[in-house]
Every structure is written in C-alpha cells, then in structure tokens.
Amino acid sequence: MKCLRLKTKMIFLTAIKNFLKLFTVLIFKDEFFRLLFLFSLAVNLFIWVFLYLKFLPLQAMGETLPLHYNIYFGIDFIGRWYEIFIMPLVGIFFIIINFILADIIYLRDKITSYFLTGAGAFIQILLFLAAYSIVMINQ
C-alpha cells in the first residue's frame, strides 16, 4: 500500500516537473517582463485596496450600488457591494493568462510575447479607470 502511494506521488511530481519545463520563466530572465509583471501586479493590488477602502462603509449597510453606467441609458447594472471586486479578480485572471502565454511563446516569437505582456499591463490600467469611474458614480 505504501509502495503504491509512493509511486503515485512520484508520477504526480514528474508530471508537474514536465509541465513546468514548458515555461522559460521569463519573469526572471528578461528585465522588461519583470518590470511589466510587477507593474501589473502593483496596479491590480492598488485596485483591490482602492475599492476596499471606498466601499468598506457599504459593507455594514448591505446596500446595493450602481456597478455600470452608460451614457445612453444611465445606470444599467446594480449589484451588491462585494460584486465590485469581480473587476480586479478578472484583472488577475488576465495577468496570469497573458504571462503564461507570453512565457510559452517567448522562445518562438519575442514580439508577440512582448505584446501579450504589454496588454496585461494595459488591461490593468483600463480596469483602474473603470474602478475610478464606478467610485465617482457612487459618490
């Protein structure tokens, strides 16, 4: 029984090691990627803190708030206070996906990997602008 568990564990660790061989770990090799990755994480962390501090008073009240504003229809999406944090969560998803793809593509096509890395940082800036707009709507 112990032998079977040990074999299963070894197979699992070997599979993880082979999966990690796909990545070149750009973040540690290329200064451009490292700076953009840290910038993206910093902006995303700032969005989390910014939204938490602005909507913390609404947590106790359990109020709903406008989450989307359209110039044609006005407020068109209302939700609970905690739904505002879906936006930075999507930002983390984009960071992870873009940097994994950029890391895989790096050895084949550096320009595409630079584009993906820059797109991850640009998405974070757009998400911050959207978060700021939502805060301004709710004041």
Side-chain angles (χ1 to χ4, degrees):
M1 187 64 138
K2 262 186 176 178
C3 186
L4 183 61
R5 272 193 237 157
L6 186 61
K7 277 187 176 182
T8 306
K9 191 174 186 179
M10 290 301 289
I11 290 171
F12 181 71
L13 291 175
T14 306
I16 289 175
K17 191 186 293 186
N18 289 338
F19 178 73
L20 291 176
K21 283 182 184 178
L22 291 173
F23 302 106
T24 58
V25 192
L26 288 176
I27 297 161
F28 302 115
K29 291 182 179 179
D30 195 331
E31 186 71 23
F32 179 74
F33 286 103
R34 187 178 14 219
L35 289 175
L36 277 177
F37 183 73
L38 292 176
F39 175 76
S40 298
L41 287 179
V43 171
N44 194 279
L45 179 65
F46 182 74
I47 294 170
W48 281 98
V49 171
F50 179 69
L51 290 175
Y52 180 76
L53 293 177
K54 292 296 181 179
F55 294 109
L56 183 63
L58 296 176
Q59 177 183 2
M61 293 183 253
E63 291 186 23
T64 59
L65 57 128
L67 295 176
H68 188 263
Y69 179 81
N70 188 329
I71 60 170
Y72 299 113
F73 305 113
I75 296 170
D76 61 350
F77 184 63
I78 297 175
R80 309 281 295 170
W81 67 271
Y82 55 83
E83 291 176 5
I84 195 79
F85 295 105
I86 292 173
M87 194 169 20
L89 193 63
V90 168
I92 289 176
F93 175 75
F94 275 110
I95 289 172
I96 292 169
I97 295 299
N98 280 353
F99 281 94
I100 287 174
L101 289 175
D103 192 53
I104 292 171
I105 295 172
Y106 181 73
L107 295 176
R108 291 184 208 111
D109 188 11
K110 286 186 181 179
I111 293 175
T112 305
S113 64
Y114 287 151
F115 176 74
L116 285 169
T117 308
F122 183 68
I123 288 170
Q124 298 308 308
I125 293 170
L126 291 179
L127 287 174
F128 172 72
L129 293 174
Y132 183 75
S133 299
I134 290 173
V135 167
M136 296 310 291
I137 289 169
N138 285 292
Q139 287 186 348

